[in-house]
Structure formats: C-alpha cells, structure tokens
Amino acid sequence: MTNNVKKNGQRVHRQMSRIFGVDTEFGEDAILGKLEGMKDIIEQVNRQFKDPDLTTFVCVCIRNSSI
C-alpha cells in the first residue's frame, strides 16, 4: 500500500514539474512558488475584469467562412 502511494506521489510530482516548467530536482518549493505566482496573476486579472474603468466587453460576430 505505502509503495503504491509513494509511486503515485512521485508520478504526480514529475507531472506537476513538467506542467510548471520546473526541474524535478527543485522539488515542491519550486512548484509551490509557481502556483503562488499564478495565483497573484489570476487575482489581478479578476480585479481588472470586475473594474468597469479597466474593462470593456464588446460583442463580436465572426462569419463562418465554410458556408
């Protein structure tokens, strides 16, 4: 049981490292740092979308060229 958990944990760690562009030898701290950076960007974008002085939504129609 613990062997499977360890293998799954290592697999998840490798996948997360690839997703975030972090070398596997840097480990969890590097991945958590990337996540924190992404969180800050996401929060900033959310604030901008909610501020009517910073965001304008425009309806756009795009013609389907295959018809």
Side-chain angles (χ1 to χ4, degrees):
M1 170 85 177
T2 56
N3 229 1
N4 287 338
V5 171
K6 186 175 181 180
K7 285 180 184 178
N8 286 337
Q10 290 171 342
R11 188 175 336 135
V12 169
H13 182 260
R14 280 193 307 273
Q15 290 172 347
M16 295 295 285
S17 297
R18 279 189 235 130
I19 289 170
F20 292 111
V22 176
D23 194 5
T24 53
E25 51 188 69
F26 288 114
E28 294 176 16
D29 292 336
I31 293 172
L32 290 175
K34 288 275 193 175
L35 285 172
E36 282 296 317
M38 289 174 62
K39 181 181 177 226
D40 293 340
I41 292 169
I42 291 168
E43 288 174 348
Q44 180 182 2
V45 169
N46 279 334
R47 281 192 302 274
Q48 289 177 0
F49 274 145
K50 292 176 183 176
D51 186 342
D53 294 329
L54 297 176
T55 305
T56 301
F57 290 97
V58 178
C59 181
V60 176
C61 295
I62 301 174
R63 184 176 79 92
N64 187 344
S65 61
S66 66
I67 295 178

